[in-house]
Amino acid sequence: MDVISSDPAAGTAGREGPGKTYDAFISYAHAGDEGFSAALQRGLQHLAKPWNRRRAMEVFRDETSLSASSGLEPSIWRALDASRWLVLLASPEAARSDWVSEEITHWVSTKGADHLLVVVTEGTWAWDKSSGDLSAASTAAGRALRGVFTTEPKYVNMTWARHNADLTLRNANFRDQVATLAAAIREVSKEDIEGEDVKQQRRTRRIVRDVIAALTMLVLVASSLAIWANVERLQAIHELKVALSGQLISNSELIGNTNPVLSKLLSIAAWRLNPSSSEARYAILSAAALTGLAVLSGSGGSANSVAFSPDGKILASGNSDGTVGLWDVATRQQAGSILTGRVSPVESVAFSPDGKILASAIGGTLGAGTVRLWDVATRQQIGSPLTGGSGGVSSVAFSPDGKILASGTGDGTVRLWDVATHQQIGSPLPAGSGGVGSVTFSPDGKILAGGSTLGNNEGIVQLWDVATHQQIGRALPGSSGDVRSVAFSPDGKTFASGNDDGTVRLWDVATHQQIGSPLNGSGGVVYSVAFSPDGKTLASATGVTGLSALGVATVRLWDVDSQQQLGSPLTGLAGAVYSVTFSPDGKTFASGNADGTVRLWDVATSRQQIGSPLAGPVGPVHSVAFSPDGKTLASGNADGTERLWDVATRQQIGSPLAGPLPGLLGQPSGDAVRVPGSGGIVTSVAFSPDGKTLASAGGTVQLRDLASGRIIGNLDTGLGDAESVAFSPDGKILATGNYDGTVRLWDVATQQQIGSPLGSSPYGIESVAFSPDGKILAGGNGDGTVRLWDVATRQLIGSPLASSLEGFASVAFSPDGKFLASGNGDGTVALWDVATRQQIGRLTGSAGAVNSVAFSPNSETLASGTNDDTVVLWDVATRQQIGSPLTGPAGPVRAVESVAFSPDGKVLASGNEDGTVRFWDISYLAETVPNRCASAGRSLTRVEWTHNVQGLGYQEVCP
């Protein structure tokens, strides 16, 4: 809830005076709010930014505002004294931080509490009216804040955002709360800030248009004056295309959430005009990562229900304004006239199995107990409405043979209707007295399920025998509150219920027993559930979640077998999501939303995770590696085993293999008879370049022949337990990173150590990697540094690279040999130019330590696995994050220990702390432009080209 107000008359301080001044100083705990504070600083500096200024305001944050030579304490005191506002990121970590307490104390003692803004990022914040002070239960408030405020302070609650990776001004929630803070800091109204932002965006676009117009004129002049050299004309055309490409990139970003298909096409057009632009390539990747396919608008009210026709060509939506909309799925255009009946809301729509009839359920008091049948071909109503019951009809469903229609009504009954005669079949079936929320037939048509509510607000699910109209067994307890939706799996063995308490429950149809624990994570009402046609995926649509009435509604996808959430929730929706349904081919699903839109989503990019997680190891999976042919994945596990997995079938190959013997005291080498699991913790695995040998580290180092499964060697590192292994590109040398701070090189053929150990450090070598040409070896040290050695001379190349002050460094070379990435304990990834050994970028945004980094085979994408249970994909050229992070299941946050790309770059594997291996579909990153055009389904029209591209004739973007 945004609760900051401000005096609009005060104005914004200038920059006069001999020293630098700041509009705001951000005080935060580095341990918890490093990424969030950086995002907030960027947001404040860029919201309503004039086109000719770098920033809208000056915001001090010690990580970015201090030079390397600055003395820390004097610089911070000077910055505090030179700032007009203190923005405190309140959290339990900040409450415990001595440094944050000193900043607060200094501010209050010199400037009072009037210009102190509080942003709660974690924990609780409560005011005790009786004591006139912050409550002792306020975990986000430290001692320095006690007694500071004379009245209850105003604050912004942003606890939702701390672990959210999508913290840019394109995120509507984040933008709104940044505007609240910016208005207070600049001491103007929030409306003025938002209006200024819109004005500045328009001004920027106008200036770009003016530049393009000038360049267009230059092209015309250049082409009309014979005295101009042809090279100058071509240069003018090139500059025009570069400018137009930049404008198209901007336009693509702006409409990503509202018109995903056009966003993709504009990004492709930007690349066509300027193929060498890394920004254009990133725009294509960002658009490709969008889960949405289209946003269909047309209703004046909410879209309460959506349904695909059996052939998948038409999508119907039942709307709160009493209309039924029909959409052509291929063209995303409205298909014919809107069907109108009474003014009461349409709560549910369903197609008959042959696709010829559409049923619509009328809710509300004016349409009580009414169902209308429509001829899909003529858009005409068929006969009189089906009437019966009271309180409106909330749900309709056709039987699989199309002969019976079921309706659930607000009076707590279910009625069956003969579709041919429009007559009610038998007496109503009694359900919950609080109303029936949903009805559905089993795939064989023998069972009817209904979700309803009893008078005591207890949700139930009932099953009836369609032939006898008798209830089958007892009513199943659904939840506290309404059961909003029920759905059968395609094989009829399972059904799901969506409930008011925010859970989805799965039931065994034969035994009437709940399967596993409820699927949770939404925090809002689950209005709709739907199975994919293959029965492997379940979609759930929820109402508003979050801290305000305009919170975040979501669509979640679940793996039915493992009952784990697939990928991140799909957000970007204003208000609740009332309905969700899959297309018959399973490639698309649609959602009906409270904002009046119907959205189409791509199942492949929405799922992200491929199938169920691979489970088996007891304890964390510390390392994963693909075989060179991409057919096998190896995992090194905390239970002392190595496991091999078939990538195509996602099945374990054979029994677990015993890992290497523990080190420390040194163990005998040679073939040893061991029970699987008797080895030490397997911290690293690596395939030889020819794919014939698997090396693993876990104290000693073990070499295994994969054809026979035999152990062909144990390399004893003595007291320096091996933590990581890597083969040289020619397969002749094996490098081990060791706990004693050394790197050892081994001749693979003779299994003898080559020379003395490299380096000496009090910290262990966490990771080792060879450059693609085999000439350089990198070692990531536990002290946060990276060391480079010349493999031929075995000499250290220059001084260690300072990657992080918080320890740990996972290292990886890009396959083209140009870059080195190091993942750090502070949640950042450093990028280094291998030739110059200079840092060329730092990727930030993770809330936890980065445990593993890996480059894609084409060197264009970097993946990082973090302690906050996410895998983040980065565009190497622009240093920007691609799409939302890949996340594990809802529940306790568990670390991602290791990441690896498949050789074709289409799959990413992650080894996880929860003992699983997950495969992620990232094929969209490797798609060619023609494939991206195919996924868009069309090209830019001439009207769209003219609207977005001024000065150049129409060009086919997707020929």
Side-chain angles (χ1 to χ4, degrees):
M1 180 172 61
D2 297 340
V3 289
I4 289 179
S5 60
S6 58
D7 177 9
T12 302
R15 302 291 188 274
E16 298 83 2
K20 184 177 180 65
T21 61
Y22 299 94
D23 294 290
F25 179 108
I26 298 179
S27 177
Y28 66 101
H30 289 235
D33 285 318
E34 176 75 24
F36 174 74
S37 64
L40 181 61
Q41 181 188 35
R42 288 193 298 270
L44 289 171
Q45 290 178 159
H46 285 86
L47 185 69
K49 182 187 78 66
W51 71 273
N52 59 344
R53 286 177 53 187
R54 289 182 61 198
R55 304 181 181 96
M57 65 174 70
E58 295 291 336
V59 180
F60 181 91
R61 188 177 71 93
D62 64 338
E63 248 335 270
T64 59
S65 300
L66 290 179
S67 67
S69 61
S70 298
L72 189 59
E73 292 191 16
S75 299
I76 286 191
W77 300 144
R78 285 196 298 271
L80 271 171
D81 293 338
S83 300
R84 296 190 308 108
W85 288 85
L86 176 66
V87 179
L88 170 64
L89 306 190
S91 66
E93 293 90 344
R96 293 189 296 267
S97 171
D98 293 337
W99 193 250
V100 173
S101 295
E102 288 187 39
E103 290 172 348
I104 295 171
T105 301
H106 181 84
W107 182 271
V108 173
S109 65
T110 57
K111 300 192 179 186
D114 291 341
H115 277 52
L116 195 160
L117 300 178
V118 178
V119 178
V120 180
T121 65
E122 193 79 28
T124 57
W125 181 275
W127 182 259
D128 185 349
K129 293 183 179 179
S130 61
S131 65
D133 200 354
L134 289 167
S135 166
S138 297
T139 60
R143 289 191 301 272
L145 289 173
R146 308 295 178 181
V148 167
F149 303 104
T150 57
T151 59
E152 183 175 357
K154 298 173 181 178
Y155 66 96
V156 173
N157 194 328
M158 297 185 75
T159 53
W160 65 271
R162 192 185 211 192
H163 302 300
N164 191 315
D166 183 23
L167 294 182
T168 68
L169 294 179
R170 293 175 63 181
N171 182 320
N173 297 325
F174 184 68
R175 184 189 195 90
D176 181 70
Q177 293 189 306
V178 169
T180 300
L181 291 167
I185 293 169
R186 295 174 64 171
E187 299 177 356
V188 297
S189 69
K190 185 176 178 180
E191 290 75 16
D192 287 345
I193 284 286
E194 292 171 336
E196 178 68 14
D197 186 52
V198 172
K199 184 176 75 174
Q200 291 298 341
Q201 287 189 38
R202 289 174 178 170
R203 179 178 295 172
T204 300
R205 288 196 291 270
R206 186 170 64 251
I207 290 170
V208 171
R209 286 197 299 269
D210 291 343
V211 170
I212 290 172
L215 290 171
T216 302
M217 183 60 67
L218 185 60
V219 171
L220 294 175
V221 172
S223 61
S224 63
L225 296 178
I227 59 174
W228 281 39
N230 187 51
V231 65
E232 293 178 347
R233 182 181 66 83
L234 294 177
Q235 180 63 27
I237 293 175
H238 172 71
E239 291 177 0
L240 174 60
K241 287 184 175 181
V242 170
L244 288 170
S245 176
Q247 181 179 355
L248 288 169
I249 291 170
S250 177
N251 292 349
S252 173
E253 292 174 348
L254 286 173
I255 64 172
N257 287 329
T258 57
N259 196 335
V261 170
L262 183 56
S263 175
K264 293 175 182 179
L265 292 172
L266 293 181
S267 69
I268 295 171
W271 178 83
R272 295 278 192 202
L273 293 177
N274 191 11
S276 62
S277 168
S278 59
E279 288 77 11
R281 177 186 167 278
Y282 174 69
I284 288 179
L285 293 177
S286 295
L290 294 171
T291 54
L293 291 176
V295 179
L296 312 179
S297 301
S299 169
S302 60
N304 295 332
S305 177
V306 288
F308 281 98
S309 61
D311 61 8
K313 295 181 179 180
I314 298 176
L315 180 69
S317 66
N319 310 308
S320 63
D321 62 358
T323 64
V324 176
L326 296 177
W327 307 89
D328 185 301
V329 175
T331 65
R332 323 286 202 242
Q333 299 299 310
Q334 193 167 301
S337 304
I338 295 176
L339 310 182
T340 59
R342 306 184 70 162
V343 294
S344 296
V346 177
E347 298 291 351
S348 178
V349 290
F351 281 94
S352 61
D354 61 7
K356 296 180 179 180
I357 300 174
L358 179 72
S360 63
I362 311 301
T365 56
L366 292 177
T370 300
V371 177
R372 297 175 187 270
L373 299 181
W374 306 86
D375 185 300
V376 175
T378 66
R379 307 292 194 266
Q380 298 299 307
Q381 185 172 316
I382 304 172
S384 301
L386 313 182
T387 59
S390 60
V393 180
S394 58
S395 179
V396 288
F398 281 94
S399 61
D401 62 8
K403 297 180 178 180
I404 301 174
L405 181 75
S407 63
T409 62
D411 63 1
T413 62
V414 174
R415 287 173 163 76
L416 298 179
W417 307 86
D418 185 300
V419 175
T421 65
H422 289 204
Q423 297 299 308
Q424 185 173 311
I425 303 172
S427 301
L429 309 180
S433 58
V436 179
S438 179
V439 292
T440 187
F441 284 92
S442 61
D444 62 7
K446 296 180 179 180
I447 300 174
L448 178 70
S452 58
T453 310
L454 299 175
N456 61 359
N457 202 36
E458 177 187 354
I460 60 171
V461 177
Q462 293 168 276
L463 301 178
W464 292 276
D465 185 298
V466 175
T468 65
H469 290 201
Q470 297 299 307
Q471 184 172 315
I472 303 172
R474 60 179 178 83
L476 308 179
S479 68
S480 59
D482 294 352
V483 174
R484 300 277 184 166
S485 180
V486 288
F488 279 96
S489 61
D491 62 8
K493 296 180 180 180
T494 306
F495 69 91
S497 64
N499 310 295
D500 260 6
D501 63 0
T503 64
V504 175
R505 298 167 191 258
L506 297 177
W507 305 86
D508 186 296
V509 174
T511 66
H512 291 200
Q513 296 298 309
Q514 186 172 312
I515 304 172
S517 301
L519 311 184
N520 212 329
S522 71
V525 174
V526 179
Y527 285 104
S528 180
V529 290
F531 282 93
S532 61
D534 63 7
K536 296 180 179 180
T537 305
L538 181 73
S540 65
T542 71
V544 170
T545 64
L547 298 166
S548 71
L550 295 176
V552 180
T554 62
V555 176
R556 295 170 188 264
L557 298 181
W558 308 85
D559 181 79
V560 175
D561 288 340
S562 66
Q563 299 189 29
Q564 299 293 313
Q565 185 175 310
L566 296 171
S568 303
L570 309 180
T571 60
L573 303 162
V577 183
Y578 289 133
S579 180
V580 65
T581 186
F582 283 89
S583 62
D585 63 6
K587 296 180 180 180
T588 305
F589 65 95
S591 65
N593 312 297
D595 62 4
T597 64
V598 174
R599 296 183 181 233
L600 297 179
W601 308 84
D602 182 271
V603 173
T605 55
S606 301
R607 277 181 58 101
Q608 298 175 322
Q609 188 174 309
I610 303 172
S612 304
L614 311 184
V618 179
V621 177
H622 288 299
S623 180
V624 290
F626 280 95
S627 60
D629 62 7
K631 296 180 179 180
T632 305
L633 183 84
S635 66
N637 314 299
D639 62 4
T641 65
E642 306 160 1
R643 295 174 191 248
L644 299 177
W645 308 87
D646 186 297
V647 174
T649 65
R650 298 192 296 280
Q651 298 297 311
Q652 186 171 307
I653 302 172
S655 301
L657 307 173
L661 295 170
L664 295 180
L665 298 178
Q667 299 293 334
S669 60
D671 283 333
V673 179
R674 287 166 284 164
V675 177
S678 65
I681 295 174
V682 182
T683 54
S684 181
V685 291
F687 284 93
S688 60
D690 60 10
K692 296 180 179 180
T693 306
L694 181 71
S696 59
T700 59
V701 175
Q702 181 172 271
L703 299 178
R704 183 183 299 275
D705 177 74
L706 291 172
S708 66
R710 291 181 63 253
I711 297 170
I712 56 176
N714 278 287
L715 311 181
D716 190 351
T717 57
L719 297 177
D721 285 6
E723 297 190 71
S724 57
V725 290
F727 280 96
S728 61
D730 61 8
K732 295 180 179 180
I733 300 175
L734 182 74
T736 62
N738 308 298
Y739 187 75
D740 63 359
T742 65
V743 172
R744 298 168 190 251
L745 299 180
W746 305 81
D747 185 298
V748 175
T750 65
Q751 298 182 20
Q752 297 299 308
Q753 186 172 314
I754 304 172
S756 303
L758 308 182
S760 179
S761 167
Y763 298 91
I765 301 296
E766 306 280 353
S767 176
V768 288
F770 282 94
S771 61
D773 61 6
K775 295 180 179 180
I776 300 174
L777 178 71
N781 200 293
D783 63 0
T785 62
V786 176
R787 289 170 166 79
L788 301 179
W789 287 275
D790 184 300
V791 175
T793 65
R794 298 166 45 78
Q795 297 300 307
L796 189 65
I797 304 173
S799 302
L801 309 179
S803 183
S804 167
L805 296 177
E806 296 189 24
F808 189 79
S810 169
V811 292
F813 281 96
S814 61
D816 62 10
K818 295 179 180 179
F819 306 114
L820 175 73
S822 57
N824 309 304
D826 62 2
T828 66
V829 177
L831 280 179
W832 309 87
D833 184 297
V834 174
T836 65
R837 302 180 64 256
Q838 297 298 307
Q839 184 173 311
I840 56 175
R842 185 169 289 268
L843 313 179
T844 63
S846 171
V850 177
N851 297 322
S852 179
V853 289
F855 281 94
S856 62
N858 63 7
S859 301
E860 294 178 350
T861 306
L862 179 73
S864 60
T866 70
N867 265 355
D868 62 358
D869 200 22
T870 63
V871 176
V872 182
L873 299 176
W874 307 90
D875 179 60
V876 175
T878 62
R879 324 284 194 255
Q880 299 294 311
Q881 182 176 317
I882 302 172
S884 300
L886 312 178
T887 61
V893 175
R894 311 297 292 271
V896 176
E897 302 282 354
S898 179
V899 290
F901 282 90
S902 62
D904 63 5
K906 295 181 179 181
V907 177
L908 184 75
S910 66
N912 309 292
E913 186 184 4
D914 62 3
T916 64
V917 174
R918 290 183 169 84
F919 288 142
W920 307 91
D921 184 346
I922 54 169
S923 56
Y924 66 90
L925 294 176
E927 286 181 343
T928 62
V929 169
N931 287 339
R932 299 186 195 282
C933 285
S935 69
R938 64 181 183 87
S939 185
L940 273 182
T941 66
R942 290 183 179 274
V943 172
E944 290 168 337
W945 177 275
T946 302
H947 180 74
N948 290 279
V949 183
Q950 294 85 32
L952 278 182
Y954 176 73
Q955 297 179 16
E956 193 72 53
V957 172
C958 289

